[in-house]
Amino acid sequence: MQVLYVIVWWLALEVIGVVCFPLVSRICINLKDRGYSISKLVGLVILTFLVWILSSLTRLQFGYVSILISFLLLAAFSLYFGRKHLRLSEWPRRSIIVSEAVFAVAFVGFVLVMVGKPDIYFGGADFFMDYAFMGSILRGGYFPPVDPWYAGEGLSYYYGGHLVAAILTMVTRVPPAIAFNIAVAMFFGLAVAASYGLGYNLTRRNLYGVITALLVCGAGYLTGTYQLIGHLLDTDILGATHIGAPSIIEWMLNFDFWSAPWVIPYAMAQYPYYLFLAGTLHAFMMSIPFQLMSIMLLFGLLQRSRFGEKFTRSDTLLDVFVLSLSLGFFSIVNTWEYPVYAALTVAAFVLLRIRRSIGSTVAVAGSIMVLSLLLYLPYYLSRGLGGVGWFGLVTDRTDLASFFEACALFLFLLFSLLVVLRRAELFRGRAPVISGLLVLVATIVAAIVLGFPLLIILVPLILLPLYYIVTSGTKGGKEFVLLLVIMGAALALFCEVVYIDDAYGPPWERFNTVFKMYVPLWISLGIASAYAVYYVLGHARSGVKFVWLAVAVLLLVACLVHPVVSTVSATGGRHEGWGLNRGTLDGMAYLESIEKGDYEALRWINREIKGHHVILEAPGAVFQYTSRVSTFTGLATVIGWTSWEVMWRGDWAGMEERERDANTIYSTLDNEEAMALLNKYDVEYVYVGGVEQEKYEAEGLQKFASRPGVYQVVYEAEGVTVYQVKGE
């Protein structure tokens, strides 16, 4: 049956992609695959936006009707604007077949990975949060969705990716606990297909499409190689703790895959494959394929300009709308990435001259910026800044060894690209060479004086590509790639200069800044690095190609150790709390073995209680088996994981009040006091299970059972009782 669920989900994606392809084909007409590798993503963006805006403007509640109407609007929009691209005989069939094959391998392969680690688990990651968000959306209603961990309020967090998963869950009728894991595999497959498409369209060769997908979605840090050497030598290597094990197999099964994100002290820098492997539907993971889609759309516009395509008024309107929609989509998927891709969009228009005249450039780029905000204005009006404040200056910067451990392969490939460019066309004449040397000397001096060693790496990665772009005549794929190099280096530099202030205090103040910025950094440098392989092999001297390629392959293998061994460890390893249930896609099934009472009760709630209601359960504590009712049903509770809510809302007093009130309801012997607090939060159901029985005295809990006229038992089995609050 679960195989059928995967097939149905796949077919739904195919329909969305095919319906949207005529529209994408018009924008990406000069790309080799005409944008087919991102057609599913563009379709998901438009469909999700239409569903979202209808519910945000309180025109239609989220559900089958709103999804059907939105799909029909998507189809009409695509057919109208893409009507000249409907002939199947003119579609790039070979490119389509290869793109579909790439997606299929990635999607099915990662479904198998998720079968090895399906648990929607409470410890160590955000499974509970993300599943609760998805469950709240699936219960219908208008947007913003109800916050399942803060009854009475809308979500104060970006939920666009969860909405994408919820739409497909509802359309395919896949059980949510299974859909959660299929969605993870889907986002991985979409990211692999999009990165393949970028590499293929930049070089027009399938091989470099595969290399791009490998570098963006497969490679990782050197941490795994350090740990492997440490195991072989039985000692710690370069700060990586080794694991004592009798064999390589045992070492892999006990591999410490959690250590990779902590390459940078007091910050978490995760590479894309690690985010997918973590297996939770979190914002920074779900945004990855949409980042690749946005980059592809910009490249498609550049190629149209480069090949002299005439931009009609209809073309301009379509470009502005689709790019605005795609850029603004980051607002509801992962807001941190909106300014990153807004800056990239403006830079692409200005530096790459996507529109020939200055007036046209300003008009189109400005329109995209303004419209990308206006289209998603209901989202901005529905939430505050939470715990996010202004900027602070970084004092504890990343050292060279840590940055090398994270980006060694990319640094080697990108500096190789710049060296080959220098020989071929970067510096012509004596003056540019002298100027370049002076800048290099100044950078080294500044790095020493300021105690800022990364300047020696980052400044050349910004200034040399910028110089080449500005001085080059024709703007094409090479210049586009160099713009991505600038983007990645600028993001790294940003993380070393300032941090965005939030709920974390010293020494963790830049935790979230690095956490969020290193994903687009990795994506941009990964794409550029794959192109560097293509360019260096095509232009380097034949005498050094073999040595260079050997070093590149060696570094690639070293960077694949961590993702490969992490996959083995996560899906078959011996880690406490992981692998409670394997061989299924049902992320909720493990509950039957650890808390059967909760498992049966939660299934009953999902089956019998429809729509949005408030249910009381014990207050939540982060990464513990709490807030499980709101998590697995999507019903709102008075207060869930308090540490997470305070990061979203920046209000400790509010969290503490709700926690105090929830505890009082359970523990007080005064039923009038309990009823007053239940009415305060509009609580309709009270849940008493193992967590509550362990936390509260029996006398306090007895008041519910002793007043059947006030609290009606609607479910009782396996040590769990659910009461419906009837009132005095």
Side-chain angles (χ1 to χ4, degrees), residues 224 226-237 240-248 250-259 565 569 575:
Y226 291 173
Q227 291 175 315
L228 174 59
I229 296 172
H231 164 69
L232 296 175
L233 300 180
D234 196 23
T235 185
D236 293 349
I237 298 291
T241 304
H242 79 288
I243 302 170
S247 67
I248 287 291
E250 285 297 315
W251 173 75
M252 294 173 71
L253 292 174
N254 291 280
F255 184 69
D256 181 18
F257 61 91
W258 287 112
S259 65
V565 182
S569 180
H575 300 281

Side-chain angles (χ1 to χ4, degrees), residues 574-640:
R574 304 187 176 112
H575 300 281
E576 183 178 353
W578 284 85
L580 295 173
N581 192 63
R582 287 179 171 137
T584 178
L585 284 170
D586 187 350
M588 191 176 168
Y590 77 98
L591 287 179
E592 187 173 14
S593 61
I594 68 167
E595 289 290 343
K596 184 173 176 59
D598 283 342
Y599 177 74
E600 296 295 343
L602 297 175
R603 293 179 67 198
W604 178 87
I605 290 173
N606 285 327
R607 187 171 60 250
E608 301 296 331
I609 301 178
K610 305 301 181 183
H612 284 286
H613 306 274
V614 179
I615 188 167
L616 180 69
E617 61 179 319
V622 64
F623 298 147
Q624 296 182 28
Y625 184 64
T626 57
S627 303
R628 78 282 193 206
V629 181
S630 47
T631 292
F632 285 104
T633 67
L635 293 174
T637 193
V638 173
I639 184 65

Side-chain angles (χ1 to χ4, degrees), residues 296-605:
M296 176 88 87
L297 287 173
L298 286 174
F299 183 58
L301 289 184
L302 173 64
Q303 291 298 85
R304 275 172 58 193
S305 173
R306 179 188 177 193
F307 287 103
E309 293 285 336
K310 292 183 178 180
F311 290 90
T312 65
R313 180 173 297 180
S314 178
D315 287 326
T316 299
L317 290 174
L318 179 63
D319 295 344
V320 169
F321 180 73
V322 172
L323 262 72
S324 299
L325 205 62
S326 302
L327 175 60
F329 196 63
F330 290 116
S331 302
I332 65 172
V333 173
N334 190 4
T335 312
W336 289 71
E337 283 153 7
Y338 175 82
V340 174
Y341 285 92
L344 177 65
T345 300
V346 171
F349 271 88
V350 173
L351 294 177
L352 301 180
R353 301 175 194 168
I354 290 179
R355 293 301 172 97
R356 300 300 175 88
S357 70
I358 295 177
S360 179
T361 295
V362 172
V364 175
S367 298
I368 291 171
M369 295 301 107
V370 172
L371 191 58
S372 68
L373 293 172
L374 291 178
L375 287 171
Y376 294 89
L377 190 59
Y379 171 76
Y380 291 109
L381 295 176
S382 70
R383 62 161 296 181
L385 291 176
V388 176
W390 198 233
F391 295 98
L393 293 177
V394 173
T395 55
D396 187 13
R397 297 190 175 96
T398 308
D399 58 86
L400 283 171
S402 296
F403 194 72
F404 178 81
E405 183 178 345
C407 300
L409 176 60
F410 295 164
L411 293 176
F412 172 75
L413 295 176
L414 294 176
F415 276 105
S416 298
L417 172 63
L418 293 178
V419 168
V420 174
L421 276 175
R422 185 204 65 78
R423 287 186 56 255
E425 37 194 333
L426 189 56
F427 290 121
R428 299 186 183 92
R430 182 176 299 178
V433 173
I434 295 174
S435 299
L437 290 175
L438 290 175
V439 171
L440 178 60
V441 171
T443 301
I444 294 172
V445 171
I448 295 172
V449 172
L450 299 175
F452 196 163
L454 283 190
L455 285 177
I456 300 173
I457 294 175
L458 299 178
V459 170
L461 286 178
I462 295 173
L463 294 184
L464 290 177
L466 181 60
Y467 174 81
Y468 184 90
I469 292 172
V470 171
T471 58
S472 65
T474 303
K475 314 296 184 184
K478 185 166 43 181
E479 289 74 19
F480 186 79
V481 165
L482 291 174
L483 182 60
L484 294 180
V485 176
I486 295 172
M487 170 181 164
L491 288 171
L493 185 61
F494 177 86
C495 292
E496 300 303 316
V497 177
V498 298
Y499 63 87
I500 299 174
D501 197 16
D502 56 20
Y504 289 107
W508 302 94
E509 60 268 20
R510 69 172 184 146
F511 175 91
N512 256 328
T513 303
V514 172
F515 194 21
K516 301 301 193 298
M517 294 298 104
Y518 263 64
V519 177
L521 179 156
W522 186 279
I523 289 171
S524 57
L525 296 187
I527 297 167
S529 295
Y531 183 86
V533 177
Y534 161 76
Y535 192 85
V536 171
L537 290 180
H539 295 81
R541 293 174 178 172
S542 57
V544 300
K545 280 184 184 179
F546 178 80
V547 175
W548 180 88
L549 187 59
V551 174
V553 170
L554 182 63
L555 279 172
L556 175 61
V557 171
C559 290
L560 289 174
V561 171
H562 194 276
V564 169
V565 182
S566 291
T567 304
V568 174
S569 180
T571 59
R574 304 187 176 112
H575 300 281
E576 183 178 353
W578 284 85
L580 295 173
N581 192 63
R582 287 179 171 137
T584 178
L585 284 170
D586 187 350
M588 191 176 168
Y590 77 98
L591 287 179
E592 187 173 14
S593 61
I594 68 167
E595 289 290 343
K596 184 173 176 59
D598 283 342
Y599 177 74
E600 296 295 343
L602 297 175
R603 293 179 67 198
W604 178 87
I605 290 173

Side-chain angles (χ1 to χ4, degrees), residues 95-351:
S95 296
I96 289 174
I97 291 171
V98 175
S99 181
E100 285 291 355
V102 170
F103 174 76
V105 170
F107 177 53
V108 174
F110 219 80
V111 165
L112 296 177
V113 169
M114 297 309 296
V115 167
K117 55 173 305 300
D119 302 339
I120 300 172
Y121 187 63
F122 53 88
D126 292 319
F127 293 98
F128 267 33
M129 181 196 96
D130 293 315
Y131 192 68
F133 285 7
M134 183 173 152
S136 177
I137 294 171
L138 285 169
R139 285 192 168 269
Y142 297 115
F143 292 153
V146 173
D147 188 338
W149 286 353
Y150 207 81
E153 299 289 342
L155 275 177
S156 185
Y157 197 81
Y158 19 88
Y159 55 85
H162 305 91
L163 177 56
V164 171
I167 289 171
L168 288 167
T169 300
M170 185 162 284
V171 166
T172 59
R173 302 184 69 85
V174 175
I178 295 175
F180 186 90
N181 287 314
I182 295 177
V184 173
M186 172 194 72
F187 284 114
F188 177 75
L190 291 171
V192 169
S195 52
Y196 162 82
L198 270 165
Y200 174 62
N201 286 305
L202 280 165
T203 65
R204 295 181 168 252
R205 297 186 186 180
N206 291 318
L207 172 63
Y208 294 103
V210 172
I211 292 174
T212 305
L214 182 62
L215 294 187
V216 173
C217 301
Y221 300 151
L222 288 177
T223 308
T225 295
Y226 291 173
Q227 291 175 315
L228 174 59
I229 296 172
H231 164 69
L232 296 175
L233 300 180
D234 196 23
T235 185
D236 293 349
I237 298 291
L238 298 174
T241 304
H242 79 288
I243 302 170
S247 67
I248 287 291
I249 298 298
E250 285 297 315
W251 173 75
M252 294 173 71
L253 292 174
N254 291 280
F255 184 69
D256 181 18
F257 61 91
W258 287 112
S259 65
W262 303 102
V263 170
I264 298 175
Y266 302 111
M268 181 179 279
Q270 297 184 336
Y271 59 88
Y273 183 81
Y274 183 93
L275 293 173
F276 290 116
L277 184 63
T280 181
L281 287 178
H282 207 59
F284 43 72
M285 181 276 279
M286 294 185 288
S287 73
I288 290 172
F290 298 108
Q291 294 182 59
L292 292 158
M293 176 202 70
S294 293
I295 294 171
M296 176 88 87
L297 287 173
L298 286 174
F299 183 58
L301 289 184
L302 173 64
Q303 291 298 85
R304 275 172 58 193
S305 173
R306 179 188 177 193
F307 287 103
E309 293 285 336
K310 292 183 178 180
F311 290 90
T312 65
R313 180 173 297 180
S314 178
D315 287 326
T316 299
L317 290 174
L318 179 63
D319 295 344
V320 169
F321 180 73
V322 172
L323 262 72
S324 299
L325 205 62
S326 302
L327 175 60
F329 196 63
F330 290 116
S331 302
I332 65 172
V333 173
N334 190 4
T335 312
W336 289 71
E337 283 153 7
Y338 175 82
V340 174
Y341 285 92
L344 177 65
T345 300
V346 171
F349 271 88
V350 173
L351 294 177

